Amino acid sequence: MAGQGEGARPRVGPAWLAKYIVWLYRSTMTTTIPLLHDNHNHVSLYAAFSSCIDISRSAPDAALALLRGLPEDRLSVVRGWKSFELPMTSEELSSLPPIILINFSLHGFVVSDSGVPFLETTVPEVASMRNDQAWCEANVPPIFAAYCGLAGLDAKKLGEYIDRMLPLGIGSSDEMTVPTIQALDVCSSSPYDKRLNYWVAPALYEKMDIARRGLVSGIKLFLDGAVGSRSAAIEGPWIGPGKAMFTYADDVLLAILRRAGAYGTGLSAHAIGELAIEQALSAIEVAVREGARFRTIRLEHVQYIDVNQARRAKDLGIVLSMQPNFTSDSIDYTDRLTESYLKRNNPFRMLIDEVGFEPGRDMLFGSDGMPDGIAYAATQALFPAYPSQRLSLDELVAGYGTAKGVSGTVTLDIDDTERRVSVSGTSPVRLAP
Ligand SMILES: [Zn+2]
């Protein structure tokens, strides 16, 4: 240790003693849960991203230094950008090497000036529309396809990504937006196929042959933006800039549901803000009344669902697919959300206790890969910012459900003093025959 001379003895002072006493009396509980299924992740996209630089865990200064040092002769795809920690000015973007910087939420990206020509040659439409936020929010699936193409996906990257989730407590996942037909083929022809459920955008579903359509769980729509890109469809007001973004006009959404309702497949819709949830419920009510049928109907995220909307969703037999991970939006986004929205986020107690949603039956949990694994979700479930967001460990486990195609157990350390859950082990892992 620097500055400590030969033969120096550790000093046992009052501060050290106090720390020791806290450590001695810390209350850590260890418990075992099954290996889980993540009901909402973007497996092929994150697998493709595994070869990219991830700045989500870097301090802003370190991230900026890293970006400045990237190669000048090629485009670097960088993920995990948190705009609230590292705002990008036009001066900054003009001085950086060629990069595409993808928002942590996957909604929103920026390109450095020197990166634009690289993007123009590979994904010209995305390049030309990059500064049109409304276009970007309305075209998430083609943007995911562009990310996947820029980063590259193959069977090796896919397998490595899924294997890396095992020690984090996750054995299988719903892949919520398979970006391209090639990505579906990579996934479905791999040994990991049994551990994945596939969802695709309506445009991709239309392009798929009958055999491929038979592989997917359903059609996934994006109805609004995200809090991370200040574009979730909340009434507001936002603190600072922010705008409710909708992918579809009401009549266009209804037309999509009418068409999708004849395919005999499932439906899933990303809807974060209460305005997007309202749009989803109204369109689903009409489409179902008219005869549209879906194997299952899921609403993803629904962070700002209110009690009346929850009752309507329950009456329609809708499954709420939510992310305990996003409970921490109530802490991370004090720069953009008012107290009322910080408090309304992820109202699990209302949904379960008042409206009767049941984790594992009509309430599912997933990570959205932000971050992967069960530890962060468990931390947010057991130690949330607001009591209305709390989930018991049993509810959390039921909402994730046990892994498919693989089984095992996961040991969790629950530290009441630090208010944190960590995974201390996963074993034994057995693949299904
Ligand atoms: Zn997602």
Side-chain angles (χ1 to χ4, degrees):
M1 192 186 292
Q4 197 165 23
E6 187 77 10
R9 284 186 204 145
R11 290 218 192 107
V12 182
W16 184 89
L17 197 63
K19 266 190 194 165
Y20 176 71
I21 291 168
V22 168
W23 177 82
L24 200 62
Y25 288 98
R26 80 199 188 285
S27 78
T28 301
M29 191 189 90
T30 296
T31 189
T32 302
I33 60 169
L35 193 63
L36 297 174
H37 178 83
D38 187 334
N39 289 282
H40 185 130
N41 203 348
H42 296 277
V43 177
S44 33
L45 195 55
Y46 288 124
F49 279 162
S50 61
S51 55
C52 302
I53 297 147
D54 180 359
I55 58 168
S56 63
R57 289 194 188 89
S58 307
D61 286 353
L64 200 56
L66 194 148
L67 297 179
R68 287 188 180 131
L70 288 171
E72 296 285 346
D73 61 340
R74 65 190 119 102
L75 181 74
S76 298
V77 181
V78 180
R79 59 176 289 214
W81 171 48
K82 294 176 181 172
S83 57
F84 59 98
E85 284 181 3
L86 188 64
M88 276 288 150
T89 61
S90 46
E91 293 81 61
E92 202 67 71
L93 289 174
S94 67
S95 68
L96 286 169
I99 53 167
I100 175 169
L101 198 53
I102 298 168
N103 198 296
F104 182 71
S105 71
L106 300 180
H107 290 251
F109 62 91
V110 289
V111 187
S112 63
D113 295 5
S114 58
V116 174
F118 289 90
L119 217 59
E120 278 167 345
T121 52
T122 46
V123 280
E125 195 183 19
V126 173
S128 70
M129 301 305 284
R130 70 188 187 279
N131 293 325
D132 183 336
Q133 201 192 355
W135 183 90
C136 291
E137 290 295 355
N139 287 277
V140 170
I143 291 172
F144 279 13
Y147 293 163
C148 194
L150 288 168
L153 176 71
D154 56 36
K156 184 166 174 280
K157 276 169 133 182
L158 179 80
E160 284 171 355
Y161 173 72
I162 296 173
D163 284 343
R164 269 202 305 278
M165 278 195 279
L166 288 172
L168 306 178
I170 301 296
S172 57
S173 302
D174 272 36
E175 151 58 287
M176 289 316 298
T177 315
V178 183
T180 57
I181 288 182
Q182 295 89 312
L184 179 67
D185 292 346
V186 168
C187 295
S188 63
S189 62
S190 84
Y192 293 88
D193 175 55
K194 286 183 195 142
R195 292 157 65 178
L196 294 167
N197 297 328
Y198 309 109
W199 296 82
V200 297
L204 199 62
Y205 190 86
E206 302 273 343
K207 277 191 217 158
M208 286 165 35
D209 54 28
I210 301 286
R212 288 192 177 92
R213 287 182 180 185
L215 298 174
V216 307
S217 299
I219 290 173
K220 162 80 185 293
L221 307 174
F222 284 86
L223 302 190
D224 66 343
V227 181
S229 50
R230 294 177 178 266
S231 56
I234 59 169
E235 178 86 52
W238 294 83
I239 299 171
K243 188 173 188 297
M245 296 274 183
F246 296 90
T247 308
Y248 307 108
D250 293 351
D251 58 336
V252 176
L253 175 61
L254 186 55
I256 291 172
L257 296 190
R258 284 181 180 134
R259 197 173 164 86
Y263 288 134
T265 192
L267 175 74
S268 147
H270 161 124
I272 292 176
E274 72 277 18
L275 304 178
I277 296 166
E278 191 63 34
Q279 188 194 38
L281 291 171
S282 302
I284 292 166
E285 279 163 353
V286 175
V288 168
R289 202 185 310 133
E290 290 177 354
R293 289 294 172 264
F294 301 98
R295 271 208 301 256
T296 181
I297 307 177
R298 286 172 40 162
L299 290 182
E300 307 298 319
H301 314 309
V302 292
Q303 285 173 251
Y304 298 102
I305 191 168
D306 68 30
V307 67
N308 294 321
Q309 292 174 331
R311 294 212 164 96
R312 283 163 66 199
K314 184 88 183 158
D315 288 345
L316 285 161
I318 289 174
V319 173
L320 303 182
S321 166
M322 303 180 71
Q323 289 69 44
N325 280 1
F326 296 156
T327 292
S328 63
D329 283 5
S330 299
I331 293 165
D332 293 338
Y333 291 134
T334 53
D335 65 339
R336 65 196 66 186
L337 295 176
T338 58
E339 172 68 26
S340 143
Y341 278 99
L342 297 172
K343 206 168 168 180
R344 282 166 61 181
N345 176 30
N346 272 356
F348 292 126
R349 295 290 16 124
M350 174 272 279
L351 295 169
I352 297 170
D353 302 336
E354 286 179 48
V355 185
F357 278 94
E358 198 183 308
R361 201 170 60 82
D362 53 7
M363 176 180 268
L364 302 176
F365 297 138
S367 72
D368 215 357
M370 301 174 193
D372 282 329
I374 196 59
Y376 193 80
T379 298
Q380 295 305 317
L382 299 184
F383 306 111
Y386 296 95
S388 52
Q389 300 170 322
R390 194 177 189 284
L391 291 166
S392 70
L393 188 61
D394 287 347
E395 288 168 337
L396 182 77
V397 169
Y400 267 81
T402 52
K404 55 169 228 159
V406 60
S407 63
T409 57
V410 180
T411 307
L412 296 181
D413 288 344
I414 302 170
D415 187 331
D416 279 327
T417 312
E418 297 285 333
R419 294 172 59 81
R420 194 174 55 221
V421 182
S422 50
V423 174
S424 60
T426 308
S427 69
V429 173
R430 284 193 207 91
L431 293 176

